Amino acid sequence: MIIPSIQLHPSRQEDLNRFFVFQLDDAAGKMAAFMPKDHTDKAAYMEKYTKLLIDPTINMQTIFIDDNIIGSISKFEMEGHAEITYWIDRKYWGKGIATRALERFLALEKIRPIYGRTAFDNIGSQKVLQHNGFKQIGSDTGYANARQAEIQEFIYRLD
């Protein structure tokens, strides 16, 4: 399979509109699981992510193929740990794009250890982390708004 050329660029305010549209995909949201209580509230989304764009502890990058935004990837801090998160437009799933985007991102973001979390049944995301050297180190449970239930999530770490 030929993987198209992927570029990462620091996220900009105008990218947020596309990111918001991605999270409206209910099937993708269910797989992500841990979503805002009301993922359709664009004003709340824009307010939150506009602040994150200028937070110096966050490295938010937009993922492009050609000139098309196809996702986002970020490093943020939670409870004193660096964490990774990413979202790929569902029509690009299963093509190695998330794996390649994370590989490129990790070349830019040198902080280690860095953690990643996935829903217990998000096999695709687990493979993305594993292909990039992350090792599963544990699990946790949390309330997943997209599923309206408490679910298990797997915790991964890259040293």
Side-chain angles (χ1 to χ4, degrees):
M1 171 184 354
I2 297 174
I3 299 174
S5 178
I6 297 165
Q7 299 89 39
L8 300 180
H9 300 287
S11 297
R12 301 175 307 179
Q13 180 72 35
E14 53 267 27
D15 300 343
L16 298 180
N17 286 312
R18 189 74 181 119
F19 298 168
F20 177 76
V21 170
F22 292 150
Q23 79 162 14
L24 295 177
D25 179 334
D26 288 333
K30 183 178 178 193
M31 199 50 57
F34 299 96
M35 303 267 297
K37 194 172 224 177
D38 179 4
H39 70 284
T40 66
D41 184 343
K42 187 172 184 179
Y45 180 92
M46 297 303 273
E47 180 180 346
K48 175 184 176 180
Y49 283 90
T50 297
K51 289 177 185 173
L52 296 178
L53 281 174
I54 60 171
D55 183 330
T57 67
I58 295 174
N59 179 358
M60 188 183 311
Q61 299 280 320
T62 301
I63 305 167
F64 289 86
I65 292 179
D66 299 321
D67 291 327
N68 299 313
I69 295 174
I70 60 106
S72 65
I73 190 164
S74 301
K75 183 276 296 181
F76 64 98
E77 294 181 13
M78 187 168 79
E79 299 174 3
H81 296 284
E83 298 252 352
I84 188 87
T85 186
Y86 47 86
W87 190 292
I88 304 294
D89 183 353
R90 189 162 51 107
K91 68 183 173 187
Y92 293 96
W93 289 6
K95 300 176 187 218
I97 292 169
T99 299
R100 186 71 170 275
L102 180 54
E103 177 185 314
R104 289 180 183 240
F105 185 80
L106 292 169
L108 298 171
E109 183 57 59
K110 303 290 187 186
I111 222 167
R112 303 292 185 274
I114 191 164
Y115 295 81
R117 295 171 176 258
T118 69
F120 72 98
D121 57 352
N122 189 338
I123 305 302
S125 228
Q126 292 169 39
K127 287 181 180 179
V128 168
L129 292 171
Q130 292 165 355
H131 286 310
N132 277 284
F134 284 76
K135 305 290 184 217
Q136 186 177 346
I137 60 161
S139 66
D140 197 3
T141 56
Y143 188 79
N145 284 318
R147 299 183 188 190
Q148 294 292 294
E150 190 165 289
I151 67 165
Q152 184 180 28
E153 65 178 340
F154 294 147
I155 303 167
Y156 288 81
R157 182 177 69 211
L158 177 66
D159 291 317

